[in-house]
Amino acid sequence: MTSYPVKAIKVSHDVIETLVDRGTIGVTEVATALDIPKSTAYDHLRTLEQVGYVVNDDGTYRLSTQFLHIGEVARNNHELFVRGRDEALELVEATDERAHVQLVTEESRRCAVLIATRWQRANLQPQATQTYPTRIQLHTNAPGKAILAHKDDETVERILREDDLQERTPNTITDEAELCADLDRIREDGYAVDDGELIAGMAGIAAPIVTEDEVRGSIAIYCASDRLDTDLRESEFVDMVRETAREIRANFIFT
């Protein structure tokens, strides 16, 4: 069991994550979800409200838009976003806007999406229920596998040992031997594919962005599987993501 230096911060984190999962809820629901006293749930919610991270709507609580500001600041200061934003947007144009482009890095052994064009709430239909998923395990998608494949052997072994290979769809690779073989193929080919492994019906191709021995992230193209006229590995998108990854890598090295 993980020991946290400041347990109260961990409780506040869990309160926030509960609001992320459930939307607008009350004190009792938070207390029940976290198995903590109602008084503790109330104190954390009230404190989060006072510092501006939670809004109280007549006794029920929701996250404030302050998190949007924090996320934008974090993203805008991220080196991969700074050095790869223009190239990612140019890649969208190169696909004639037929596909979604993702610029992805890794944080705490999870995918952290810096750009997800045309797959963000502002660009979706009002009735859409899902934006591009973030904070997901590396093995479940093309950009994550591209990153994982270029980590050192010791790190890969530790991730496989300590993280359950959870299934996102029936196509997600959850067998360790099969995943290792896929990672070997990614290293050899210079790109990763996702054939409905993250989201059923969606296909993706991603290339790693690596400078010397450091994996900076990856760039990916996704589209509906039925919009591909050929096998994933024969798609024109393969060369497009690899070329974009090389351009972003050059930005790290020469600028």
Side-chain angles (χ1 to χ4, degrees):
M1 179 179 293
T2 303
S3 176
Y4 298 96
V6 183
K7 294 181 180 179
I9 293 178
K10 178 59 169 63
V11 175
S12 286
H13 164 271
D14 292 343
V15 169
I16 290 169
E17 288 295 308
T18 302
L19 294 177
V20 170
D21 291 338
R22 304 194 183 191
T24 301
I25 58 176
V27 174
T28 300
E29 293 171 281
V30 171
T32 301
L34 299 180
D35 192 23
I36 58 177
K38 285 180 63 176
S39 59
T40 301
Y42 178 76
D43 288 343
H44 281 269
L45 285 166
R46 286 283 292 128
T47 302
L48 288 166
E49 178 191 359
Q50 290 174 5
V51 297
Y53 292 112
V54 163
V55 175
N56 182 350
D57 289 329
D58 295 326
T60 59
Y61 295 84
R62 60 177 172 82
L63 299 177
S64 81
T65 55
Q66 181 69 5
F67 286 99
L68 179 62
H69 171 68
I70 293 172
E72 288 182 342
V73 170
R75 182 198 62 182
N76 293 346
N77 288 324
H78 197 288
E79 191 173 14
L80 177 58
F81 179 78
V82 172
R83 298 184 186 277
R85 174 187 54 192
D86 291 345
E87 285 70 19
L89 296 180
E90 288 171 4
L91 182 57
V92 177
E93 295 182 5
T95 69
D96 296 325
E97 298 190 357
R98 291 174 294 158
H100 308 279
V101 170
Q102 285 83 50
L103 184 64
V104 180
T105 189
E106 177 259 339
E107 292 179 346
S108 302
R109 305 204 306 217
R110 294 292 186 272
C111 292
V113 181
L114 301 174
I115 293 177
T117 64
R118 298 178 58 230
W119 210 338
Q120 296 169 317
R121 175 62 62 190
N123 300 323
L124 297 177
Q125 295 298 315
Q127 65 271 24
T129 59
Q130 186 180 41
T131 56
Y132 188 82
T134 64
R135 310 301 296 176
I136 49 179
Q137 289 180 291
L138 299 172
H139 75 280
T140 64
N141 57 93
K145 289 191 296 182
I147 293 170
L148 184 60
H150 290 81
K151 288 186 172 293
D152 62 84
D153 292 342
E154 182 179 346
T155 299
V156 173
E157 290 174 4
R158 185 172 67 254
I159 290 174
L160 296 181
R161 182 175 64 251
E162 297 177 359
D163 290 2
D164 294 331
L165 298 180
Q166 297 178 2
E167 180 181 284
R168 294 277 307 191
T169 75
N171 287 352
T172 307
I173 299 175
T174 58
D175 178 78
E176 184 174 324
E178 183 181 354
L179 179 60
C180 287
D182 196 27
L183 297 180
D184 287 340
R185 183 165 50 247
I186 292 166
R187 282 187 286 269
E188 180 177 347
D189 294 343
Y191 67 95
V193 299
D194 170 358
D195 190 4
E197 296 166 40
L198 176 64
I199 298 175
M202 296 296 294
I205 301 168
I209 301 162
V210 183
T211 58
E212 297 181 350
D213 294 328
E214 184 174 357
V215 188
R216 302 285 185 165
S218 59
I219 184 80
I221 291 176
Y222 270 83
C223 67
S225 300
D226 59 11
R227 297 185 65 180
L228 289 175
D229 297 327
T230 183
D231 180 85
L232 265 175
R233 298 182 183 280
E234 297 177 358
S235 168
E236 62 180 325
F237 291 158
V238 170
D239 288 338
M240 293 169 71
V241 295
R242 289 194 295 193
E243 176 59 28
T244 302
R246 285 192 288 268
E247 292 173 358
I248 298 173
R249 177 180 182 272
N251 289 343
F252 277 97
I253 295 174
F254 299 113
T255 61

